[in-house]
């Protein structure tokens, strides 16, 4: 359930960033594709559509994503994507075959770079913003 919620939230965050964050929008330039995150058993799947500098998300499996990341199960997917060092967790998961990549691996690297724009602001930065206001 946590993984399903995380994938839904990821879609919402990317949709918002694609409307409001110029740095995020720059990463979307020239991209017109669909990618998917799912569990290997197919119980949880969500695909994300990148088109015209916007991101939208839909539930379920897409018939032809540019790339797909399959996680062993929802618990593992949630733990990997929320780990303190997600790049290391991804690398270990791929080596252990707990994560499977289908499609273009270069786009997986692009996706990992995209996710860094979704991190919440640090508390110190938020405190400075409050002081400035």
């Amino acid at each position: 359930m946590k993984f399903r919620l995380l994938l839904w939230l990821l879609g919402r965050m990317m949709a918002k960033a694609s409307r409001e964050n110029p740095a995020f929008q720059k990463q979307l330039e020239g991209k017109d594709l669909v990618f998917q995150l799912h569990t290997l058993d197919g119980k949880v799947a969500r695909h994300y559509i990148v088109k015209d500098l916007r991101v939208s998300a839909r539930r379920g499996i897409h018939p032809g994503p540019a790339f797909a990341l399959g996680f062993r199960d929802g618990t593992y997917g949630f733990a990997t994507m929320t780990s303190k060092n997600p790049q290391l967790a991804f690398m270990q998961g791929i080596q252990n075959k707990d994560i499977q990549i289908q499609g273009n691996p270069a786009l997986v690297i692009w996706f990992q770079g995209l996710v860094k724009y979704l991190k919440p602001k640090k508390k110190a930065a938020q405190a400075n913003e409050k002081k400035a206001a």
Side-chain angles (χ1 to χ4, degrees), residues 82-98:
T82 59
S83 79
K84 291 187 182 202
N85 188 344
Q87 284 188 318
L88 178 62
F90 268 95
M91 293 296 287
Q92 290 174 336
I94 292 166
Q95 287 175 345
N96 298 340
K97 301 205 184 320
D98 291 325

PDB file of all heavy atoms in Angstrom, residues 82-98:
ATOM      1  N   THR A  82      12.764   5.390  -0.910  1.00  0.00           N
ATOM      2  CA  THR A  82      12.800   6.313   0.222  1.00  0.00           C
ATOM      3  C   THR A  82      14.077   6.180   1.042  1.00  0.00           C
ATOM      4  O   THR A  82      14.188   6.798   2.098  1.00  0.00           O
ATOM      5  CB  THR A  82      11.576   6.102   1.142  1.00  0.00           C
ATOM      6  OG1 THR A  82      11.574   4.750   1.623  1.00  0.00           O
ATOM      7  CG2 THR A  82      10.278   6.412   0.418  1.00  0.00           C
ATOM      8  N   SER A  83      15.033   5.406   0.558  1.00  0.00           N
ATOM      9  CA  SER A  83      16.274   5.221   1.316  1.00  0.00           C
ATOM     10  C   SER A  83      17.060   6.524   1.372  1.00  0.00           C
ATOM     11  O   SER A  83      16.863   7.427   0.548  1.00  0.00           O
ATOM     12  CB  SER A  83      17.127   4.113   0.697  1.00  0.00           C
ATOM     13  OG  SER A  83      17.815   4.584  -0.425  1.00  0.00           O
ATOM     14  N   LYS A  84      17.966   6.618   2.335  1.00  0.00           N
ATOM     15  CA  LYS A  84      18.765   7.832   2.483  1.00  0.00           C
ATOM     16  C   LYS A  84      19.708   8.022   1.308  1.00  0.00           C
ATOM     17  O   LYS A  84      20.077   9.142   0.986  1.00  0.00           O
ATOM     18  CB  LYS A  84      19.541   7.800   3.794  1.00  0.00           C
ATOM     19  CG  LYS A  84      18.641   7.922   4.990  1.00  0.00           C
ATOM     20  CD  LYS A  84      19.402   8.049   6.272  1.00  0.00           C
ATOM     21  CE  LYS A  84      18.393   8.125   7.392  1.00  0.00           C
ATOM     22  NZ  LYS A  84      18.883   8.717   8.578  1.00  0.00           N
ATOM     23  N   ASN A  85      20.106   6.930   0.676  1.00  0.00           N
ATOM     24  CA  ASN A  85      20.975   6.994  -0.500  1.00  0.00           C
ATOM     25  C   ASN A  85      20.327   6.173  -1.615  1.00  0.00           C
ATOM     26  O   ASN A  85      20.697   5.028  -1.852  1.00  0.00           O
ATOM     27  CB  ASN A  85      22.370   6.459  -0.152  1.00  0.00           C
ATOM     28  CG  ASN A  85      23.362   6.688  -1.272  1.00  0.00           C
ATOM     29  OD1 ASN A  85      22.993   6.965  -2.410  1.00  0.00           O
ATOM     30  ND2 ASN A  85      24.634   6.549  -0.954  1.00  0.00           N
ATOM     31  N   PRO A  86      19.338   6.745  -2.293  1.00  0.00           N
ATOM     32  CA  PRO A  86      18.599   5.966  -3.290  1.00  0.00           C
ATOM     33  C   PRO A  86      19.456   5.460  -4.460  1.00  0.00           C
ATOM     34  O   PRO A  86      19.207   4.383  -4.972  1.00  0.00           O
ATOM     35  CB  PRO A  86      17.506   6.904  -3.785  1.00  0.00           C
ATOM     36  CG  PRO A  86      17.754   8.221  -3.178  1.00  0.00           C
ATOM     37  CD  PRO A  86      18.812   8.073  -2.134  1.00  0.00           C
ATOM     38  N   GLN A  87      20.489   6.226  -4.844  1.00  0.00           N
ATOM     39  CA  GLN A  87      21.337   5.752  -5.945  1.00  0.00           C
ATOM     40  C   GLN A  87      22.045   4.458  -5.568  1.00  0.00           C
ATOM     41  O   GLN A  87      22.102   3.525  -6.359  1.00  0.00           O
ATOM     42  CB  GLN A  87      22.347   6.816  -6.355  1.00  0.00           C
ATOM     43  CG  GLN A  87      21.724   7.920  -7.180  1.00  0.00           C
ATOM     44  CD  GLN A  87      22.764   8.865  -7.739  1.00  0.00           C
ATOM     45  OE1 GLN A  87      23.705   9.230  -7.052  1.00  0.00           O
ATOM     46  NE2 GLN A  87      22.569   9.247  -8.982  1.00  0.00           N
ATOM     47  N   LEU A  88      22.571   4.396  -4.356  1.00  0.00           N
ATOM     48  CA  LEU A  88      23.230   3.182  -3.887  1.00  0.00           C
ATOM     49  C   LEU A  88      22.217   2.037  -3.784  1.00  0.00           C
ATOM     50  O   LEU A  88      22.497   0.915  -4.198  1.00  0.00           O
ATOM     51  CB  LEU A  88      23.899   3.422  -2.529  1.00  0.00           C
ATOM     52  CG  LEU A  88      24.587   2.209  -1.896  1.00  0.00           C
ATOM     53  CD1 LEU A  88      25.717   1.709  -2.789  1.00  0.00           C
ATOM     54  CD2 LEU A  88      25.119   2.559  -0.520  1.00  0.00           C
ATOM     55  N   ALA A  89      21.038   2.336  -3.256  1.00  0.00           N
ATOM     56  CA  ALA A  89      19.994   1.312  -3.125  1.00  0.00           C
ATOM     57  C   ALA A  89      19.600   0.763  -4.501  1.00  0.00           C
ATOM     58  O   ALA A  89      19.409  -0.445  -4.664  1.00  0.00           O
ATOM     59  CB  ALA A  89      18.780   1.881  -2.397  1.00  0.00           C
ATOM     60  N   PHE A  90      19.489   1.650  -5.503  1.00  0.00           N
ATOM     61  CA  PHE A  90      19.168   1.206  -6.860  1.00  0.00           C
ATOM     62  C   PHE A  90      20.270   0.314  -7.407  1.00  0.00           C
ATOM     63  O   PHE A  90      20.001  -0.740  -7.983  1.00  0.00           O
ATOM     64  CB  PHE A  90      18.972   2.408  -7.797  1.00  0.00           C
ATOM     65  CG  PHE A  90      17.553   2.869  -7.894  1.00  0.00           C
ATOM     66  CD1 PHE A  90      17.093   3.898  -7.091  1.00  0.00           C
ATOM     67  CD2 PHE A  90      16.681   2.286  -8.792  1.00  0.00           C
ATOM     68  CE1 PHE A  90      15.785   4.337  -7.182  1.00  0.00           C
ATOM     69  CE2 PHE A  90      15.371   2.718  -8.887  1.00  0.00           C
ATOM     70  CZ  PHE A  90      14.919   3.742  -8.080  1.00  0.00           C
ATOM     71  N   MET A  91      21.518   0.746  -7.242  1.00  0.00           N
ATOM     72  CA  MET A  91      22.643  -0.041  -7.764  1.00  0.00           C
ATOM     73  C   MET A  91      22.674  -1.437  -7.136  1.00  0.00           C
ATOM     74  O   MET A  91      22.852  -2.432  -7.831  1.00  0.00           O
ATOM     75  CB  MET A  91      23.976   0.680  -7.499  1.00  0.00           C
ATOM     76  CG  MET A  91      24.133   1.965  -8.271  1.00  0.00           C
ATOM     77  SD  MET A  91      24.180   1.706 -10.044  1.00  0.00           S
ATOM     78  CE  MET A  91      25.785   1.013 -10.211  1.00  0.00           C
ATOM     79  N   GLN A  92      22.492  -1.499  -5.829  1.00  0.00           N
ATOM     80  CA  GLN A  92      22.485  -2.790  -5.141  1.00  0.00           C
ATOM     81  C   GLN A  92      21.315  -3.645  -5.601  1.00  0.00           C
ATOM     82  O   GLN A  92      21.463  -4.844  -5.821  1.00  0.00           O
ATOM     83  CB  GLN A  92      22.439  -2.597  -3.630  1.00  0.00           C
ATOM     84  CG  GLN A  92      23.723  -2.048  -3.069  1.00  0.00           C
ATOM     85  CD  GLN A  92      23.625  -1.713  -1.589  1.00  0.00           C
ATOM     86  OE1 GLN A  92      22.548  -1.463  -1.051  1.00  0.00           O
ATOM     87  NE2 GLN A  92      24.776  -1.683  -0.926  1.00  0.00           N
ATOM     88  N   GLY A  93      20.154  -3.028  -5.768  1.00  0.00           N
ATOM     89  CA  GLY A  93      18.972  -3.754  -6.227  1.00  0.00           C
ATOM     90  C   GLY A  93      19.155  -4.329  -7.617  1.00  0.00           C
ATOM     91  O   GLY A  93      18.733  -5.452  -7.902  1.00  0.00           O
ATOM     92  N   ILE A  94      19.781  -3.564  -8.495  1.00  0.00           N
ATOM     93  CA  ILE A  94      20.035  -4.045  -9.860  1.00  0.00           C
ATOM     94  C   ILE A  94      21.031  -5.200  -9.834  1.00  0.00           C
ATOM     95  O   ILE A  94      20.829  -6.219 -10.504  1.00  0.00           O
ATOM     96  CB  ILE A  94      20.521  -2.878 -10.753  1.00  0.00           C
ATOM     97  CG1 ILE A  94      19.369  -1.886 -10.966  1.00  0.00           C
ATOM     98  CG2 ILE A  94      21.059  -3.388 -12.075  1.00  0.00           C
ATOM     99  CD1 ILE A  94      19.793  -0.552 -11.524  1.00  0.00           C
ATOM    100  N   GLN A  95      22.091  -5.050  -9.040  1.00  0.00           N
ATOM    101  CA  GLN A  95      23.094  -6.120  -8.937  1.00  0.00           C
ATOM    102  C   GLN A  95      22.487  -7.392  -8.353  1.00  0.00           C
ATOM    103  O   GLN A  95      22.802  -8.497  -8.789  1.00  0.00           O
ATOM    104  CB  GLN A  95      24.273  -5.671  -8.077  1.00  0.00           C
ATOM    105  CG  GLN A  95      25.150  -4.662  -8.775  1.00  0.00           C
ATOM    106  CD  GLN A  95      26.250  -4.130  -7.872  1.00  0.00           C
ATOM    107  OE1 GLN A  95      26.210  -4.285  -6.646  1.00  0.00           O
ATOM    108  NE2 GLN A  95      27.234  -3.485  -8.473  1.00  0.00           N
ATOM    109  N   ASN A  96      21.598  -7.241  -7.363  1.00  0.00           N
ATOM    110  CA  ASN A  96      20.974  -8.399  -6.715  1.00  0.00           C
ATOM    111  C   ASN A  96      19.790  -8.954  -7.503  1.00  0.00           C
ATOM    112  O   ASN A  96      19.160  -9.909  -7.077  1.00  0.00           O
ATOM    113  CB  ASN A  96      20.481  -8.022  -5.313  1.00  0.00           C
ATOM    114  CG  ASN A  96      21.599  -7.595  -4.403  1.00  0.00           C
ATOM    115  OD1 ASN A  96      22.746  -7.902  -4.636  1.00  0.00           O
ATOM    116  ND2 ASN A  96      21.263  -6.855  -3.368  1.00  0.00           N
ATOM    117  N   LYS A  97      19.448  -8.280  -8.598  1.00  0.00           N
ATOM    118  CA  LYS A  97      18.296  -8.640  -9.436  1.00  0.00           C
ATOM    119  C   LYS A  97      16.959  -8.454  -8.708  1.00  0.00           C
ATOM    120  O   LYS A  97      15.957  -9.060  -9.059  1.00  0.00           O
ATOM    121  CB  LYS A  97      18.435 -10.054  -9.997  1.00  0.00           C
ATOM    122  CG  LYS A  97      19.699 -10.230 -10.841  1.00  0.00           C
ATOM    123  CD  LYS A  97      19.551 -11.321 -11.828  1.00  0.00           C
ATOM    124  CE  LYS A  97      20.782 -11.619 -12.628  1.00  0.00           C
ATOM    125  NZ  LYS A  97      21.622 -10.606 -13.103  1.00  0.00           N
ATOM    126  N   ASP A  98      16.958  -7.590  -7.686  1.00  0.00           N
ATOM    127  CA  ASP A  98      15.713  -7.215  -7.011  1.00  0.00           C
ATOM    128  C   ASP A  98      15.017  -6.080  -7.764  1.00  0.00           C
ATOM    129  O   ASP A  98      13.849  -5.786  -7.512  1.00  0.00           O
ATOM    130  CB  ASP A  98      15.990  -6.783  -5.567  1.00  0.00           C
ATOM    131  CG  ASP A  98      16.421  -7.947  -4.697  1.00  0.00           C
ATOM    132  OD1 ASP A  98      15.911  -9.066  -4.910  1.00  0.00           O
ATOM    133  OD2 ASP A  98      17.273  -7.746  -3.809  1.00  0.00           O
TER     134      ASP A  98
END
